[in-house]
Amino acid sequence: MAWDFHKQFINGQWTPSTGDGRIDVVNPATLQAFEWVPDGTIEDADRAVGAARAAAPAWAATPLKRRAALMDDMLAHLRLMDDEIVSLEVQELGSPEFFARATHCNYQFERIESYISIAGTLELESNYAQSLVVREPVGVVACITPWNYPLGQVVQKVIPALLMGNTVVLKPSRHTPLTACLLMEAFRLAGFPAGVVNMTSGRGSFLGERLASHPDVDMVSFTGSTRVGVHLSQKALESVKRISLELGGKSPYIWLPGMKDYRPAVDKLFSSVFLNSGQTCTALSRLLVPESMKDEAVRLICETLPAYPVGDPRDPRVKIGPVASRAQYDKVRGYIELGLSEGAVMAAGSVPPAEPAGGFYIEPVVFVDVDNKMRIAQEEIFGPVLCVITYRTLEEAVAIANDTPYGLNAAVYGPHAEAVAVARAIAAGNVYVNDGPRDITAPFGGYKASGIGREGGAAGLLEFTQFKAIFEHGNQ
Ligand code: NAD
């Protein structure tokens, strides 16, 4: 499918920007710009919000069954674009094809399906002792998303917001804006009413700011860095908007003694901290092992590294593509240098060259002898960099795990009862025990500086509603 990415989706139509600015989309494996999207103007953002505001009353009054049926149709159209989604994520994000298909594409279809089926089961009205309590849409929701899971982060917001009767203005990341355009086209093909869902493209510091402070926006749902999330919330609170934040992480993975085989734990570690080039908010970037197990753990990790080759994402043997942008490359490289200067020992990997050769490639780095107080253990690196930290007692392991501003994700590998006890003691919104798979219907989100609110399943849908209590004579 040849696609024109040079327009924005406003009021049900593909619309040129009122400005003539362009934002290049660069392929991180070739360093070449291969597409561009409009550098949206304040006027574009205002038009999108105006369309969403005008469409809000009728959409809120549309029965949930009808909204869900339209969403089903949308999903059917989106499924037909699967090869295009995969190809775009290989190009705009540098994702190897196998990962693009499984995670950036098919998993997102599952998420949409899950939201549709759960929406139909929600109790949105209940009788209290002396009142009828209803959950209503919040209104116009601005959805601002990051570049690391380009379609996934959009799906987590736009789908539940719409199902719950809100109208939406989406601003995807300027680094990876292309698959969001396909999603908008699927909404158009499914016949969503004009103005219910809108998309502007552009710079966060400009368009994002406008959306967060726009008087006609009722809620801001943001995924991105903690720094920007806090700033944007301050803006949004000036007009008392609802806020939902999915922010950064520095997640611990605790290995307990007493397991026969640690290879399953190595597989989980690699899929979390190295796949997607380590650019995952939930990356288990701090591995906590008993002091006595350090050498064995490092040996297992280093033995596994050759199974995760780094390279051109179009090569089917490659597991790890480039990092997504020059800014990411420089940031991750800076942290690798910082780790060495802080005294950590590099057990695997190297400092990438200051000038990237061919693409933004960074070999996985394994730092050992890391003290949890080091900046490389406290700050989100968002690249393929693992910190191995040792502990002496279980209490110390839990204390180290919790010694972080963040609280998004964690994992424990060990004898079951002990591992569950440790999972309960960790201050994080999600904790995996042994080979527990991710439950798409469970609430996802962070403690502490990792966020406010939840995505996924019923909790993710209800996030986009507000309570109204109706007191009436007849009920007393
Ligand atoms: P970012 O904070 O730089 O940008 C996120 C979005 O905000 C982008 O659309 C950007 O254009 C916009 N933005 C930037 N400055 C803005 C401003 N001043 N006002 C309004 N909007 C602005 O984050 P990023 O680099 O795109 O993404 C990486 C971050 O996202 C990491 O910290 C990662 O942990 C986090 N993340 C969190 C989750 C989660 O579910 N908790 C998921 C994915 C990514």
Side-chain angles (χ1 to χ4, degrees):
M1 179 174 84
W3 186 251
D4 178 3
F5 293 104
H6 307 158
K7 293 186 176 139
Q8 315 195 61
F9 191 65
I10 297 176
N11 207 21
Q13 292 187 339
W14 290 103
T15 313
S17 169
T18 55
D20 53 10
R22 297 175 173 198
I23 293 177
D24 283 339
V25 183
V26 175
N27 182 332
T30 63
L31 312 186
Q32 302 299 315
F34 69 100
E35 252 307 343
W36 61 269
V37 292
D39 188 2
T41 61
I42 296 292
E43 205 182 335
D44 294 335
D46 288 355
R47 281 198 297 167
V49 174
R53 171 54 66 205
W59 184 245
T62 302
L64 176 55
K65 263 201 170 145
R66 171 74 188 137
R67 298 196 295 254
L70 278 169
M71 199 63 87
D72 262 332
D73 274 2
M74 188 286 291
L75 179 56
H77 287 289
L78 193 66
R79 281 185 192 283
L80 297 177
M81 303 176 190
D82 59 346
D83 289 342
E84 188 76 10
I85 292 170
V86 171
S87 159
L88 287 174
E89 288 322 345
V90 173
Q91 294 176 79
E92 69 175 359
L93 183 66
S95 173
E97 188 170 325
F98 80 95
F99 195 75
R101 189 165 295 281
T103 307
H104 294 297
C105 181
N106 292 344
Y107 187 58
Q108 306 314 323
F109 297 160
E110 281 177 46
R111 270 186 170 149
I112 297 172
E113 254 178 352
S114 157
Y115 278 125
I116 296 171
S117 70
I118 293 173
T121 68
L122 295 176
E123 294 286 343
L124 296 172
E125 297 199 357
S126 18
N127 286 301
Y128 280 34
Q130 296 195 2
S131 59
L132 171 67
V133 176
V134 296
R135 279 184 179 266
E136 295 191 333
V138 182
V140 175
V141 182
C143 300
I144 300 176
T145 56
W147 47 263
N148 63 331
Y149 286 85
L151 184 60
Q153 301 306 333
V154 169
V155 160
Q156 286 285 65
K157 301 182 181 312
V158 170
I159 306 300
L162 291 173
L163 281 169
M164 291 293 94
N166 304 276
T167 57
V168 161
V169 178
L170 166 69
K171 194 211 77 66
S173 168
R174 70 189 164 102
H175 298 294
T176 56
L178 301 182
T179 45
C181 298
L182 299 193
L183 181 69
M184 293 300 123
E185 177 63 359
F187 282 121
R188 194 186 69 79
L189 292 170
F192 270 65
V196 165
V197 55
N198 307 273
M199 185 191 73
T200 60
S201 56
R203 285 165 290 139
S205 54
F206 191 58
L207 281 192
E209 294 262 336
R210 176 62 178 164
L211 292 175
S213 52
H214 198 294
D216 272 334
V217 168
D218 301 297
M219 174 171 178
V220 177
S221 176
F222 172 84
T223 298
S225 62
T226 298
R227 182 185 61 79
V228 173
V230 169
H231 167 76
L232 190 130
S233 302
Q234 284 163 346
K235 286 259 161 211
L237 272 177
E238 283 169 16
S239 46
V240 198
K241 301 187 192 313
R242 282 277 292 272
I243 297 168
S244 145
L245 301 173
E246 294 288 344
L247 307 176
K250 190 75 188 178
S251 301
Y253 191 2
I254 304 182
W255 290 3
L256 305 178
M259 297 293 272
K260 276 205 191 84
D261 184 4
Y262 284 83
R263 270 168 303 194
V266 176
D267 291 342
K268 177 159 188 70
L269 181 70
F270 272 58
S271 66
S272 172
V273 73
F274 293 146
L275 291 190
N276 215 40
S277 304
Q279 303 164 132
T280 301
C281 53
T282 52
L284 298 165
S285 51
R286 292 184 297 145
L287 175 66
L288 276 53
V289 296
E291 229 166 47
S292 58
M293 270 182 63
K294 179 185 130 188
D295 292 347
E296 171 68 358
V298 174
R299 185 184 64 76
L300 275 175
I301 291 165
C302 291
E303 268 177 19
T304 309
L305 279 169
Y308 286 76
V310 178
D312 187 329
R314 288 163 303 184
D315 181 341
R317 290 162 304 178
V318 160
K319 289 274 195 302
I320 302 174
V323 297
S325 64
R326 178 73 204 225
Q328 270 303 106
Y329 184 85
D330 291 342
K331 178 181 165 201
V332 176
R333 183 178 179 280
Y335 272 110
I336 296 170
E337 285 185 327
L338 175 70
L340 292 172
S341 72
E342 285 184 303
V345 173
M346 201 184 261
S350 57
V351 180
E355 273 313 307
F360 300 127
Y361 295 110
I362 299 183
E363 295 282 336
V365 168
V366 180
F367 277 127
V368 296
D369 296 340
V370 176
D371 184 309
N372 197 57
K373 296 286 180 219
M374 290 177 182
R375 281 181 56 200
I376 55 164
Q378 287 290 317
E379 297 173 16
E380 187 183 45
I381 297 176
F382 224 53
V385 180
L386 173 69
C387 294
V388 182
I389 301 168
T390 57
Y391 68 85
R392 277 160 298 193
T393 64
L394 210 52
E395 291 69 30
E396 192 188 12
V398 171
I400 294 172
N402 287 339
D403 178 18
T404 162
Y406 296 109
L408 187 57
N409 190 33
V412 190
Y413 187 77
H416 184 259
E418 210 178 346
V420 171
V422 171
R424 286 179 179 276
I426 293 176
N430 311 270
V431 190
Y432 291 84
V433 169
N434 296 338
D435 53 0
R438 171 94 176 267
D439 178 354
I440 207 168
T441 67
F444 171 86
Y447 281 20
K448 303 196 283 185
S450 290
I452 297 174
R454 291 295 179 268
E455 294 185 336
L461 287 155
L462 295 175
E463 191 75 24
F464 293 98
T465 64
Q466 56 190 343
F467 281 118
K468 177 186 281 176
I470 302 176
F471 312 114
E472 50 160 341
H473 251 324
N475 213 14
Q476 292 175 358

